PDB file of all heavy atoms in Angstrom:
ATOM      1  N   ALA A 231     -53.319 -77.434-103.939  1.00 97.00           N
ATOM      2  CA  ALA A 231     -53.242 -78.060-102.614  1.00 97.00           C
ATOM      3  C   ALA A 231     -52.518 -79.399-102.663  1.00 97.00           C
ATOM      4  O   ALA A 231     -51.749 -79.731-101.749  1.00 97.00           O
ATOM      5  CB  ALA A 231     -54.647 -78.235-102.029  1.00 97.00           C
ATOM      6  N   VAL A 232     -52.716 -80.162-103.731  1.00 97.00           N
ATOM      7  CA  VAL A 232     -52.062 -81.470-103.872  1.00 97.00           C
ATOM      8  C   VAL A 232     -50.551 -81.285-104.023  1.00 97.00           C
ATOM      9  O   VAL A 232     -49.755 -81.953-103.359  1.00 97.00           O
ATOM     10  CB  VAL A 232     -52.649 -82.229-105.086  1.00 97.00           C
ATOM     11  CG1 VAL A 232     -51.853 -83.486-105.397  1.00 97.00           C
ATOM     12  CG2 VAL A 232     -54.123 -82.550-104.844  1.00 97.00           C
ATOM     13  N   VAL A 233     -50.156 -80.369-104.895  1.00 98.00           N
ATOM     14  CA  VAL A 233     -48.737 -80.113-105.143  1.00 98.00           C
ATOM     15  C   VAL A 233     -48.073 -79.531-103.898  1.00 98.00           C
ATOM     16  O   VAL A 233     -47.003 -79.988-103.473  1.00 98.00           O
ATOM     17  CB  VAL A 233     -48.560 -79.167-106.354  1.00 98.00           C
ATOM     18  CG1 VAL A 233     -47.108 -78.741-106.505  1.00 98.00           C
ATOM     19  CG2 VAL A 233     -49.075 -79.824-107.624  1.00 98.00           C
ATOM     20  N   VAL A 234     -48.707 -78.542-103.298  1.00 98.00           N
ATOM     21  CA  VAL A 234     -48.118 -77.869-102.131  1.00 98.00           C
ATOM     22  C   VAL A 234     -47.956 -78.839-100.972  1.00 98.00           C
ATOM     23  O   VAL A 234     -46.923 -78.835-100.294  1.00 98.00           O
ATOM     24  CB  VAL A 234     -48.954 -76.631-101.740  1.00 98.00           C
ATOM     25  CG1 VAL A 234     -48.539 -76.084-100.394  1.00 98.00           C
ATOM     26  CG2 VAL A 234     -48.827 -75.554-102.817  1.00 98.00           C
ATOM     27  N   GLU A 235     -48.931 -79.696-100.742  1.00 97.00           N
ATOM     28  CA  GLU A 235     -48.814 -80.664 -99.636  1.00 97.00           C
ATOM     29  C   GLU A 235     -47.655 -81.631 -99.878  1.00 97.00           C
ATOM     30  O   GLU A 235     -46.911 -81.960 -98.959  1.00 97.00           O
ATOM     31  CB  GLU A 235     -50.120 -81.425 -99.435  1.00 97.00           C
ATOM     32  CG  GLU A 235     -50.076 -82.378 -98.265  1.00 97.00           C
ATOM     33  CD  GLU A 235     -49.636 -81.763 -96.933  1.00 97.00           C
ATOM     34  OE1 GLU A 235     -50.021 -80.616 -96.636  1.00 97.00           O
ATOM     35  OE2 GLU A 235     -48.882 -82.426 -96.185  1.00 97.00           O
ATOM     36  N   ALA A 236     -47.464 -82.072-101.120  1.00 98.00           N
ATOM     37  CA  ALA A 236     -46.342 -82.970-101.427  1.00 98.00           C
ATOM     38  C   ALA A 236     -45.007 -82.256-101.210  1.00 98.00           C
ATOM     39  O   ALA A 236     -44.047 -82.855-100.711  1.00 98.00           O
ATOM     40  CB  ALA A 236     -46.452 -83.475-102.864  1.00 98.00           C
ATOM     41  N   ILE A 237     -44.941 -80.983-101.558  1.00 98.00           N
ATOM     42  CA  ILE A 237     -43.703 -80.222-101.352  1.00 98.00           C
ATOM     43  C   ILE A 237     -43.473 -79.999 -99.862  1.00 98.00           C
ATOM     44  O   ILE A 237     -42.338 -80.122 -99.383  1.00 98.00           O
ATOM     45  CB  ILE A 237     -43.735 -78.914-102.153  1.00 98.00           C
ATOM     46  CG1 ILE A 237     -43.662 -79.246-103.656  1.00 98.00           C
ATOM     47  CG2 ILE A 237     -42.585 -77.992-101.747  1.00 98.00           C
ATOM     48  CD1 ILE A 237     -43.910 -78.089-104.571  1.00 98.00           C
ATOM     49  N   CYS A 238     -44.517 -79.693 -99.116  1.00 97.00           N
ATOM     50  CA  CYS A 238     -44.379 -79.556 -97.651  1.00 97.00           C
ATOM     51  C   CYS A 238     -43.825 -80.846 -97.055  1.00 97.00           C
ATOM     52  O   CYS A 238     -42.911 -80.821 -96.222  1.00 97.00           O
ATOM     53  CB  CYS A 238     -45.719 -79.233 -97.001  1.00 97.00           C
ATOM     54  SG  CYS A 238     -46.273 -77.537 -97.223  1.00 97.00           S
ATOM     55  N   ASP A 239     -44.375 -81.983 -97.488  1.00 96.00           N
ATOM     56  CA  ASP A 239     -43.903 -83.277 -96.996  1.00 96.00           C
ATOM     57  C   ASP A 239     -42.424 -83.466 -97.332  1.00 96.00           C
ATOM     58  O   ASP A 239     -41.635 -83.906 -96.491  1.00 96.00           O
ATOM     59  CB  ASP A 239     -44.738 -84.395 -97.606  1.00 96.00           C
ATOM     60  CG  ASP A 239     -44.286 -85.765 -97.146  1.00 96.00           C
ATOM     61  OD1 ASP A 239     -44.498 -86.082 -95.958  1.00 96.00           O
ATOM     62  OD2 ASP A 239     -43.699 -86.509 -97.973  1.00 96.00           O
ATOM     63  N   ALA A 240     -42.038 -83.116 -98.550  1.00 96.00           N
ATOM     64  CA  ALA A 240     -40.637 -83.263 -98.965  1.00 96.00           C
ATOM     65  C   ALA A 240     -39.714 -82.373 -98.142  1.00 96.00           C
ATOM     66  O   ALA A 240     -38.623 -82.790 -97.744  1.00 96.00           O
ATOM     67  CB  ALA A 240     -40.499 -82.946-100.454  1.00 96.00           C
ATOM     68  N   VAL A 241     -40.138 -81.147 -97.878  1.00 95.00           N
ATOM     69  CA  VAL A 241     -39.330 -80.225 -97.077  1.00 95.00           C
ATOM     70  C   VAL A 241     -39.181 -80.765 -95.656  1.00 95.00           C
ATOM     71  O   VAL A 241     -38.088 -80.736 -95.086  1.00 95.00           O
ATOM     72  CB  VAL A 241     -39.941 -78.804 -97.084  1.00 95.00           C
ATOM     73  CG1 VAL A 241     -39.311 -77.921 -96.027  1.00 95.00           C
ATOM     74  CG2 VAL A 241     -39.783 -78.181 -98.466  1.00 95.00           C
ATOM     75  N   ARG A 242     -40.275 -81.267 -95.096  1.00 93.00           N
ATOM     76  CA  ARG A 242     -40.206 -81.841 -93.736  1.00 93.00           C
ATOM     77  C   ARG A 242     -39.232 -83.012 -93.691  1.00 93.00           C
ATOM     78  O   ARG A 242     -38.419 -83.122 -92.776  1.00 93.00           O
ATOM     79  CB  ARG A 242     -41.584 -82.314 -93.288  1.00 93.00           C
ATOM     80  CG  ARG A 242     -42.503 -81.211 -92.877  1.00 93.00           C
ATOM     81  CD  ARG A 242     -43.821 -81.789 -92.339  1.00 93.00           C
ATOM     82  NE  ARG A 242     -44.894 -80.925 -92.746  1.00 93.00           N
ATOM     83  CZ  ARG A 242     -45.877 -81.229 -93.568  1.00 93.00           C
ATOM     84  NH1 ARG A 242     -45.983 -82.442 -94.064  1.00 93.00           N
ATOM     85  NH2 ARG A 242     -46.793 -80.349 -93.881  1.00 93.00           N
ATOM     86  N   ARG A 243     -39.332 -83.886 -94.668  1.00 92.00           N
ATOM     87  CA  ARG A 243     -38.431 -85.057 -94.697  1.00 92.00           C
ATOM     88  C   ARG A 243     -36.974 -84.627 -94.864  1.00 92.00           C
ATOM     89  O   ARG A 243     -36.097 -85.195 -94.241  1.00 92.00           O
ATOM     90  CB  ARG A 243     -38.822 -85.991 -95.830  1.00 92.00           C
ATOM     91  CG  ARG A 243     -40.104 -86.723 -95.583  1.00 92.00           C
ATOM     92  CD  ARG A 243     -40.448 -87.585 -96.768  1.00 92.00           C
ATOM     93  NE  ARG A 243     -41.771 -88.131 -96.640  1.00 92.00           N
ATOM     94  CZ  ARG A 243     -42.054 -89.414 -96.810  1.00 92.00           C
ATOM     95  NH1 ARG A 243     -41.101 -90.274 -97.119  1.00 92.00           N
ATOM     96  NH2 ARG A 243     -43.282 -89.840 -96.689  1.00 92.00           N
ATOM     97  N   ARG A 244     -36.769 -83.639 -95.719  1.00 87.00           N
ATOM     98  CA  ARG A 244     -35.396 -83.176 -95.979  1.00 87.00           C
ATOM     99  C   ARG A 244     -34.772 -82.564 -94.732  1.00 87.00           C
ATOM    100  O   ARG A 244     -33.613 -82.780 -94.428  1.00 87.00           O
ATOM    101  CB  ARG A 244     -35.391 -82.162 -97.107  1.00 87.00           C
ATOM    102  CG  ARG A 244     -34.014 -81.631 -97.415  1.00 87.00           C
ATOM    103  CD  ARG A 244     -34.075 -80.685 -98.580  1.00 87.00           C
ATOM    104  NE  ARG A 244     -32.782 -80.098 -98.809  1.00 87.00           N
ATOM    105  CZ  ARG A 244     -32.588 -78.835 -99.101  1.00 87.00           C
ATOM    106  NH1 ARG A 244     -33.609 -78.011 -99.226  1.00 87.00           N
ATOM    107  NH2 ARG A 244     -31.386 -78.362 -99.295  1.00 87.00           N
ATOM    108  N   SER A 245     -35.555 -81.773 -94.029  1.00 82.00           N
ATOM    109  CA  SER A 245     -35.004 -81.092 -92.859  1.00 82.00           C
ATOM    110  C   SER A 245     -35.043 -81.965 -91.618  1.00 82.00           C
ATOM    111  O   SER A 245     -34.569 -81.549 -90.561  1.00 82.00           O
ATOM    112  CB  SER A 245     -35.738 -79.770 -92.622  1.00 82.00           C
ATOM    113  OG  SER A 245     -37.098 -80.015 -92.377  1.00 82.00           O
ATOM    114  N   GLY A 246     -35.625 -83.155 -91.743  1.00 79.00           N
ATOM    115  CA  GLY A 246     -35.643 -84.072 -90.606  1.00 79.00           C
ATOM    116  C   GLY A 246     -36.568 -83.632 -89.496  1.00 79.00           C
ATOM    117  O   GLY A 246     -36.489 -84.151 -88.377  1.00 79.00           O
ATOM    118  N   GLU A 247     -37.437 -82.675 -89.796  1.00 48.00           N
ATOM    119  CA  GLU A 247     -38.372 -82.221 -88.783  1.00 48.00           C
ATOM    120  C   GLU A 247     -39.393 -83.322 -88.532  1.00 48.00           C
ATOM    121  O   GLU A 247     -39.961 -83.884 -89.459  1.00 48.00           O
ATOM    122  CB  GLU A 247     -39.127 -80.975 -89.242  1.00 48.00           C
ATOM    123  CG  GLU A 247     -38.272 -79.791 -89.449  1.00 48.00           C
ATOM    124  CD  GLU A 247     -39.040 -78.649 -90.094  1.00 48.00           C
ATOM    125  OE1 GLU A 247     -40.265 -78.732 -90.194  1.00 48.00           O
ATOM    126  OE2 GLU A 247     -38.379 -77.693 -90.504  1.00 48.00           O
ATOM    127  N   GLN A 248     -39.578 -83.623 -87.289  1.00 44.00           N
ATOM    128  CA  GLN A 248     -40.632 -84.534 -86.904  1.00 44.00           C
ATOM    129  C   GLN A 248     -41.492 -83.792 -85.907  1.00 44.00           C
ATOM    130  O   GLN A 248     -40.991 -83.292 -84.903  1.00 44.00           O
ATOM    131  CB  GLN A 248     -40.082 -85.801 -86.266  1.00 44.00           C
ATOM    132  CG  GLN A 248     -39.337 -86.676 -87.245  1.00 44.00           C
ATOM    133  CD  GLN A 248     -38.902 -87.959 -86.587  1.00 44.00           C
ATOM    134  OE1 GLN A 248     -39.003 -88.125 -85.390  1.00 44.00           O
ATOM    135  NE2 GLN A 248     -38.413 -88.873 -87.389  1.00 44.00           N
ATOM    136  N   VAL A 249     -42.740 -83.726 -86.207  1.00 47.00           N
ATOM    137  CA  VAL A 249     -43.641 -83.055 -85.288  1.00 47.00           C
ATOM    138  C   VAL A 249     -44.035 -84.068 -84.237  1.00 47.00           C
ATOM    139  O   VAL A 249     -44.802 -84.990 -84.497  1.00 47.00           O
ATOM    140  CB  VAL A 249     -44.888 -82.516 -86.030  1.00 47.00           C
ATOM    141  CG1 VAL A 249     -45.825 -81.831 -85.069  1.00 47.00           C
ATOM    142  CG2 VAL A 249     -44.468 -81.587 -87.149  1.00 47.00           C
ATOM    143  N   LEU A 250     -43.452 -83.929 -83.089  1.00 43.00           N
ATOM    144  CA  LEU A 250     -43.732 -84.847 -81.990  1.00 43.00           C
ATOM    145  C   LEU A 250     -44.728 -84.204 -81.034  1.00 43.00           C
ATOM    146  O   LEU A 250     -44.633 -83.017 -80.736  1.00 43.00           O
ATOM    147  CB  LEU A 250     -42.438 -85.179 -81.237  1.00 43.00           C
ATOM    148  CG  LEU A 250     -41.349 -85.850 -82.070  1.00 43.00           C
ATOM    149  CD1 LEU A 250     -40.086 -86.010 -81.250  1.00 43.00           C
ATOM    150  CD2 LEU A 250     -41.821 -87.192 -82.576  1.00 43.00           C
ATOM    151  N   PRO A 251     -45.680 -84.986 -80.541  1.00 43.00           N
ATOM    152  CA  PRO A 251     -46.636 -84.417 -79.602  1.00 43.00           C
ATOM    153  C   PRO A 251     -45.940 -84.046 -78.303  1.00 43.00           C
ATOM    154  O   PRO A 251     -44.985 -84.702 -77.890  1.00 43.00           O
ATOM    155  CB  PRO A 251     -47.634 -85.559 -79.390  1.00 43.00           C
ATOM    156  CG  PRO A 251     -46.915 -86.803 -79.780  1.00 43.00           C
ATOM    157  CD  PRO A 251     -45.880 -86.402 -80.798  1.00 43.00           C
ATOM    158  N   ASP A 252     -46.420 -82.965 -77.684  1.00 43.00           N
ATOM    159  CA  ASP A 252     -45.820 -82.615 -76.409  1.00 43.00           C
ATOM    160  C   ASP A 252     -46.404 -83.495 -75.301  1.00 43.00           C
ATOM    161  O   ASP A 252     -47.348 -84.258 -75.503  1.00 43.00           O
ATOM    162  CB  ASP A 252     -45.962 -81.125 -76.113  1.00 43.00           C
ATOM    163  CG  ASP A 252     -47.391 -80.683 -75.836  1.00 43.00           C
ATOM    164  OD1 ASP A 252     -48.240 -81.505 -75.436  1.00 43.00           O
ATOM    165  OD2 ASP A 252     -47.652 -79.498 -76.016  1.00 43.00           O
ATOM    166  N   GLU A 253     -45.861 -83.408 -74.113  1.00 43.00           N
ATOM    167  CA  GLU A 253     -46.231 -84.277 -73.002  1.00 43.00           C
ATOM    168  C   GLU A 253     -47.718 -84.185 -72.668  1.00 43.00           C
ATOM    169  O   GLU A 253     -48.369 -85.187 -72.396  1.00 43.00           O
ATOM    170  CB  GLU A 253     -45.386 -83.891 -71.778  1.00 43.00           C
ATOM    171  CG  GLU A 253     -45.592 -84.793 -70.591  1.00 43.00           C
ATOM    172  CD  GLU A 253     -44.710 -84.378 -69.432  1.00 43.00           C
ATOM    173  OE1 GLU A 253     -43.759 -83.604 -69.636  1.00 43.00           O
ATOM    174  OE2 GLU A 253     -44.997 -84.832 -68.327  1.00 43.00           O
ATOM    175  N   HIS A 254     -48.306 -82.990 -72.720  1.00 42.00           N
ATOM    176  CA  HIS A 254     -49.722 -82.814 -72.408  1.00 42.00           C
ATOM    177  C   HIS A 254     -50.602 -83.546 -73.418  1.00 42.00           C
ATOM    178  O   HIS A 254     -51.598 -84.156 -73.048  1.00 42.00           O
ATOM    179  CB  HIS A 254     -50.090 -81.323 -72.374  1.00 42.00           C
ATOM    180  CG  HIS A 254     -49.378 -80.560 -71.311  1.00 42.00           C
ATOM    181  ND1 HIS A 254     -49.620 -80.762 -69.972  1.00 42.00           N
ATOM    182  CD2 HIS A 254     -48.421 -79.614 -71.387  1.00 42.00           C
ATOM    183  CE1 HIS A 254     -48.848 -79.957 -69.270  1.00 42.00           C
ATOM    184  NE2 HIS A 254     -48.101 -79.250 -70.119  1.00 42.00           N
ATOM    185  N   GLU A 255     -50.231 -83.490 -74.699  1.00 43.00           N
ATOM    186  CA  GLU A 255     -51.015 -84.162 -75.724  1.00 43.00           C
ATOM    187  C   GLU A 255     -50.956 -85.673 -75.550  1.00 43.00           C
ATOM    188  O   GLU A 255     -51.958 -86.360 -75.717  1.00 43.00           O
ATOM    189  CB  GLU A 255     -50.516 -83.776 -77.118  1.00 43.00           C
ATOM    190  CG  GLU A 255     -50.850 -82.353 -77.491  1.00 43.00           C
ATOM    191  CD  GLU A 255     -50.228 -81.933 -78.804  1.00 43.00           C
ATOM    192  OE1 GLU A 255     -49.162 -82.453 -79.166  1.00 43.00           O
ATOM    193  OE2 GLU A 255     -50.823 -81.068 -79.450  1.00 43.00           O
ATOM    194  N   VAL A 256     -49.785 -86.201 -75.191  1.00 40.00           N
ATOM    195  CA  VAL A 256     -49.644 -87.641 -74.982  1.00 40.00           C
ATOM    196  C   VAL A 256     -50.520 -88.087 -73.817  1.00 40.00           C
ATOM    197  O   VAL A 256     -51.252 -89.073 -73.915  1.00 40.00           O
ATOM    198  CB  VAL A 256     -48.164 -88.030 -74.746  1.00 40.00           C
ATOM    199  CG1 VAL A 256     -48.049 -89.479 -74.308  1.00 40.00           C
ATOM    200  CG2 VAL A 256     -47.348 -87.759 -76.003  1.00 40.00           C
ATOM    201  N   ARG A 257     -50.486 -87.358 -72.692  1.00 44.00           N
ATOM    202  CA  ARG A 257     -51.316 -87.712 -71.535  1.00 44.00           C
ATOM    203  C   ARG A 257     -52.799 -87.644 -71.877  1.00 44.00           C
ATOM    204  O   ARG A 257     -53.568 -88.510 -71.504  1.00 44.00           O
ATOM    205  CB  ARG A 257     -51.013 -86.777 -70.364  1.00 44.00           C
ATOM    206  CG  ARG A 257     -49.759 -87.154 -69.643  1.00 44.00           C
ATOM    207  CD  ARG A 257     -49.679 -86.411 -68.321  1.00 44.00           C
ATOM    208  NE  ARG A 257     -48.286 -86.186 -68.039  1.00 44.00           N
ATOM    209  CZ  ARG A 257     -47.787 -85.110 -67.494  1.00 44.00           C
ATOM    210  NH1 ARG A 257     -48.558 -84.112 -67.158  1.00 44.00           N
ATOM    211  NH2 ARG A 257     -46.503 -85.006 -67.279  1.00 44.00           N
ATOM    212  N   ALA A 258     -53.199 -86.598 -72.574  1.00 43.00           N
ATOM    213  CA  ALA A 258     -54.609 -86.443 -72.941  1.00 43.00           C
ATOM    214  C   ALA A 258     -55.054 -87.574 -73.862  1.00 43.00           C
ATOM    215  O   ALA A 258     -56.147 -88.105 -73.720  1.00 43.00           O
ATOM    216  CB  ALA A 258     -54.828 -85.095 -73.608  1.00 43.00           C
ATOM    217  N   GLU A 259     -54.185 -87.947 -74.795  1.00 48.00           N
ATOM    218  CA  GLU A 259     -54.492 -89.038 -75.711  1.00 48.00           C
ATOM    219  C   GLU A 259     -54.716 -90.327 -74.940  1.00 48.00           C
ATOM    220  O   GLU A 259     -55.659 -91.062 -75.181  1.00 48.00           O
ATOM    221  CB  GLU A 259     -53.327 -89.200 -76.698  1.00 48.00           C
ATOM    222  CG  GLU A 259     -53.595 -90.174 -77.794  1.00 48.00           C
ATOM    223  CD  GLU A 259     -54.001 -89.472 -79.065  1.00 48.00           C
ATOM    224  OE1 GLU A 259     -53.989 -88.249 -79.133  1.00 48.00           O
ATOM    225  OE2 GLU A 259     -54.337 -90.192 -79.989  1.00 48.00           O
ATOM    226  N   ARG A 260     -53.847 -90.605 -73.989  1.00 48.00           N
ATOM    227  CA  ARG A 260     -53.971 -91.827 -73.182  1.00 48.00           C
ATOM    228  C   ARG A 260     -55.237 -91.817 -72.343  1.00 48.00           C
ATOM    229  O   ARG A 260     -55.816 -92.858 -72.085  1.00 48.00           O
ATOM    230  CB  ARG A 260     -52.747 -91.980 -72.284  1.00 48.00           C
ATOM    231  CG  ARG A 260     -51.505 -92.360 -73.050  1.00 48.00           C
ATOM    232  CD  ARG A 260     -50.344 -92.587 -72.117  1.00 48.00           C
ATOM    233  NE  ARG A 260     -49.117 -92.733 -72.872  1.00 48.00           N
ATOM    234  CZ  ARG A 260     -47.946 -92.303 -72.474  1.00 48.00           C
ATOM    235  NH1 ARG A 260     -47.805 -91.686 -71.324  1.00 48.00           N
ATOM    236  NH2 ARG A 260     -46.885 -92.486 -73.211  1.00 48.00           N
ATOM    237  N   SER A 261     -55.653 -90.645 -71.883  1.00 48.00           N
ATOM    238  CA  SER A 261     -56.832 -90.562 -71.021  1.00 48.00           C
ATOM    239  C   SER A 261     -58.129 -90.544 -71.816  1.00 48.00           C
ATOM    240  O   SER A 261     -59.207 -90.607 -71.240  1.00 48.00           O
ATOM    241  CB  SER A 261     -56.760 -89.305 -70.143  1.00 48.00           C
ATOM    242  OG  SER A 261     -56.959 -88.156 -70.939  1.00 48.00           O
ATOM    243  N   GLY A 262     -58.027 -90.431 -73.145  1.00 51.00           N
ATOM    244  CA  GLY A 262     -59.221 -90.398 -73.974  1.00 51.00           C
ATOM    245  C   GLY A 262     -59.889 -89.038 -74.032  1.00 51.00           C
ATOM    246  O   GLY A 262     -61.012 -88.901 -74.485  1.00 51.00           O
ATOM    247  N   MET A 263     -59.208 -87.992 -73.578  1.00 42.00           N
ATOM    248  CA  MET A 263     -59.762 -86.640 -73.582  1.00 42.00           C
ATOM    249  C   MET A 263     -59.866 -86.142 -75.021  1.00 42.00           C
ATOM    250  O   MET A 263     -58.945 -86.323 -75.810  1.00 42.00           O
ATOM    251  CB  MET A 263     -58.844 -85.708 -72.779  1.00 42.00           C
ATOM    252  CG  MET A 263     -59.401 -84.320 -72.558  1.00 42.00           C
ATOM    253  SD  MET A 263     -58.239 -83.249 -71.656  1.00 42.00           S
ATOM    254  CE  MET A 263     -57.902 -84.200 -70.206  1.00 42.00           C
ATOM    255  N   PRO A 264     -60.999 -85.521 -75.401  1.00 43.00           N
ATOM    256  CA  PRO A 264     -61.132 -84.980 -76.762  1.00 43.00           C
ATOM    257  C   PRO A 264     -60.034 -83.972 -77.079  1.00 43.00           C
ATOM    258  O   PRO A 264     -59.573 -83.255 -76.195  1.00 43.00           O
ATOM    259  CB  PRO A 264     -62.503 -84.293 -76.744  1.00 43.00           C
ATOM    260  CG  PRO A 264     -63.227 -84.857 -75.567  1.00 43.00           C
ATOM    261  CD  PRO A 264     -62.164 -85.291 -74.583  1.00 43.00           C
ATOM    262  N   GLY A 265     -59.654 -83.932 -78.366  1.00 39.00           N
ATOM    263  CA  GLY A 265     -58.570 -83.057 -78.808  1.00 39.00           C
ATOM    264  C   GLY A 265     -58.735 -81.605 -78.425  1.00 39.00           C
ATOM    265  O   GLY A 265     -57.778 -80.931 -78.087  1.00 39.00           O
ATOM    266  N   ALA A 266     -59.946 -81.080 -78.457  1.00 36.00           N
ATOM    267  CA  ALA A 266     -60.166 -79.664 -78.140  1.00 36.00           C
ATOM    268  C   ALA A 266     -59.879 -79.347 -76.688  1.00 36.00           C
ATOM    269  O   ALA A 266     -59.642 -78.194 -76.333  1.00 36.00           O
ATOM    270  CB  ALA A 266     -61.612 -79.281 -78.476  1.00 36.00           C
ATOM    271  N   LEU A 267     -59.902 -80.365 -75.846  1.00 36.00           N
ATOM    272  CA  LEU A 267     -59.686 -80.137 -74.408  1.00 36.00           C
ATOM    273  C   LEU A 267     -58.281 -80.485 -73.961  1.00 36.00           C
ATOM    274  O   LEU A 267     -57.985 -80.481 -72.781  1.00 36.00           O
ATOM    275  CB  LEU A 267     -60.680 -80.976 -73.607  1.00 36.00           C
ATOM    276  CG  LEU A 267     -62.153 -80.707 -73.904  1.00 36.00           C
ATOM    277  CD1 LEU A 267     -63.015 -81.679 -73.119  1.00 36.00           C
ATOM    278  CD2 LEU A 267     -62.516 -79.274 -73.547  1.00 36.00           C
TER     279      LEU A 267
END
C-alpha cells in the first residue's frame, strides 16, 4: 500500500491530473453539509 500510493501520486503528478471538486461539492463544503449528503 505504501509503494502503490507513492506510484499513484507520481503518475498523477506526471499526467498533470488534478482532482478538482465539482460545483456541488464546493457549495456543500461552504454550507457545512456533511460529505455523505
Side-chain angles (χ1 to χ4, degrees):
V232 171
V233 172
V234 169
E235 183 53 39
I237 291 170
C238 285
D239 179 70
V241 167
R242 284 185 216 115
R243 289 178 189 229
R244 179 177 176 222
S245 61
E247 296 172 10
Q248 291 184 351
V249 180
L250 300 175
D252 69 23
E253 185 179 345
H254 297 292
E255 289 174 331
V256 171
R257 281 193 211 142
E259 187 99 5
R260 288 184 189 145
S261 71
M263 188 182 305
L267 302 176

